[in-house]
C-alpha cells in the first residue's frame, strides 16, 4: 500500500460504520489486494477473482475489525483465506470437469513460469499441511507468505512468540520435502 496511515484511518472509520470511508478503502486496497493474491495464485484471472472475494469479505466484515492490530494484518488473513479457498474451488472444479488439452494448446514446459509452478506446489503443500497438521498452517502463511514480522504474526495467530517460532520451524520442516520432491 502506498501510504499505510490513511488506509489504517479509513479502515477505522469504515469499521465504525462510515460508508464513504468503506468505499474509499476498497478503492485504495484493490491494487494491493490483486498483487497479494498473485503471490498465491499463478493465473492472473484467478488472482483477480480471489481479490474480488477479498474485497467482498472486507466490505461484509469490516465491522469485525477492532483495531487491536494493524488493519494490514487483518487484511493479510482475509487474503490468505480467500486465496486458499479459491485454490480449493479451482481444484474441485478441475476434478469434476476434466479438460482435454488439445496438442495445439498444450503447455510448453520451456515457457511455463517456474514461479507459477512453485505457487501451485505451495498451495498443494499448504492443503496437505492443513490436513496433517492444521496448527502449523497459520505460522507458515503469516510469516512466509504474508511476510509479517515474527511478533505481529504471533499476535495474529493468537499464540506466544516462542510457540509461534516453534510451529513455524516445524511447518517449514514438514513442507520442505513436499516442495522439493518431483
Amino acid at each position: 500500500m502506498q501510504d499505510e496511515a490513511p488506509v489504517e484511518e479509513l479502515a477505522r472509520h469504515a469499521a465504525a460504520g462510515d460508508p464513504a470511508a468503506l468505499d474509499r478503502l476498497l478503492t485504495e486496497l484493490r491494487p494491493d489486494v490483486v498483487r497479494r493474491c498473485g503471490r498465491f495464485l499463478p493465473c492472473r484471472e484467478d488472482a483477480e477473482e480471489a481479490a474480488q472475494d477479498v474485497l467482498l469479505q472486507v466490505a461484509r466484515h469490516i465491522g469485525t475489525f477492532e483495531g487491536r492490530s494493524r488493519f494490514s494484518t487483518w487484511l493479510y488473513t482475509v487474503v490468505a483465506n480467500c486465496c486458499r479457498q479459491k485454490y480449493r474451488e479451482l481444484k474441485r472444479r478441475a476434478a469434476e470437469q476434466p479438460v482435454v488439452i488439445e496438442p495445439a494448446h498444450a503447455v510448453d514446459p520451456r515457457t511455463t513460469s517456474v514461479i507459477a509452478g512453485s505457487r501451485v506446489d505451495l498451495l498443494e503443500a499448504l492443503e496437505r499441511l492443513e490436513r496433517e497438521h492444521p496448527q502449523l498452517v497459520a505460522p507458515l502463511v503469516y510469516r512466509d507468505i504474508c511476510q509479517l514480522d515474527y511478533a505481529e504474526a504471533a499476535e495474529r495467530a493468537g499464540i506466544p512468540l516462542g510457540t509461534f517460532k516453534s510451529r513455524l520451524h516445524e511447518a517449514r520442516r514438514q513442507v520442505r520435502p513436499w516442495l522439493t520432491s518431483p
Side-chain angles (χ1 to χ4, degrees), residues 26 51-61:
L26 295 175
Q52 286 300 102
D53 294 343
V54 169
L55 295 174
L56 182 60
Q57 291 299 316
V58 169
R60 285 184 177 161
H61 301 290

Side-chain angles (χ1 to χ4, degrees), residues 133-154:
H133 306 283
Q135 75 282 7
L136 302 179
V137 173
L140 192 67
V141 168
Y142 290 143
R143 179 70 187 129
D144 290 355
I145 297 173
C146 296
Q147 299 174 339
L148 300 179
D149 65 44
Y150 284 99
E152 189 174 5

Side-chain angles (χ1 to χ4, degrees), residues 113-124:
S113 168
V114 172
I115 294 170
S118 65
R119 282 186 242 164
V120 170
D121 293 342
L122 179 60
L123 288 165
E124 285 288 336

Side-chain angles (χ1 to χ4, degrees), residues 13 33 48 75 125-126 138 144:
H13 288 289
V33 167
E48 288 176 355
L75 180 64
L126 283 172
D144 290 355

Side-chain angles (χ1 to χ4, degrees), residues 71-82:
F71 174 73
S72 57
T73 304
W74 184 85
L75 180 64
Y76 293 156
T77 304
V78 177
V79 168
N81 291 337
C82 285

Side-chain angles (χ1 to χ4, degrees), residues 5-144:
V7 169
E8 295 289 332
E9 188 175 321
L10 282 172
R12 281 192 296 281
H13 288 289
D18 180 345
L22 178 59
D23 286 343
R24 281 194 50 219
L25 177 67
L26 295 175
T27 301
E28 291 284 323
L29 291 178
R30 189 175 196 308
D32 188 52
V33 167
V34 170
R35 184 177 52 78
R36 290 187 186 283
C37 289
R39 285 186 182 167
F40 282 92
L41 299 164
C43 178
R44 179 153 179 85
E45 291 82 13
D46 296 337
E48 288 176 355
E49 279 186 40
Q52 286 300 102
D53 294 343
V54 169
L55 295 174
L56 182 60
Q57 291 299 316
V58 169
R60 285 184 177 161
H61 301 290
I62 189 68
T64 66
F65 173 64
E66 298 172 350
R68 289 186 299 198
S69 62
R70 292 190 345 234
F71 174 73
S72 57
T73 304
W74 184 85
L75 180 64
Y76 293 156
T77 304
V78 177
V79 168
N81 291 337
C82 285
C83 287
R84 291 173 59 216
Q85 184 59 39
K86 175 57 69 182
Y87 176 71
R88 286 187 201 110
E89 176 187 316
L90 293 168
K91 193 172 165 185
R92 190 172 39 252
R93 216 181 304 155
E96 291 170 358
Q97 304 168 350
V99 177
V100 176
I101 299 176
E102 297 174 20
H105 295 94
V107 175
D108 181 352
R110 295 170 297 176
T111 60
T112 301
S113 168
V114 172
I115 294 170
S118 65
R119 282 186 242 164
V120 170
D121 293 342
L122 179 60
L123 288 165
E124 285 288 336
L126 283 172
E127 193 169 285
R128 183 172 174 186
L129 186 65
E130 188 166 35
R131 280 193 312 270
E132 296 179 14
H133 306 283
Q135 75 282 7
L136 302 179
V137 173
L140 192 67
V141 168
Y142 290 143
R143 179 70 187 129
D144 290 355

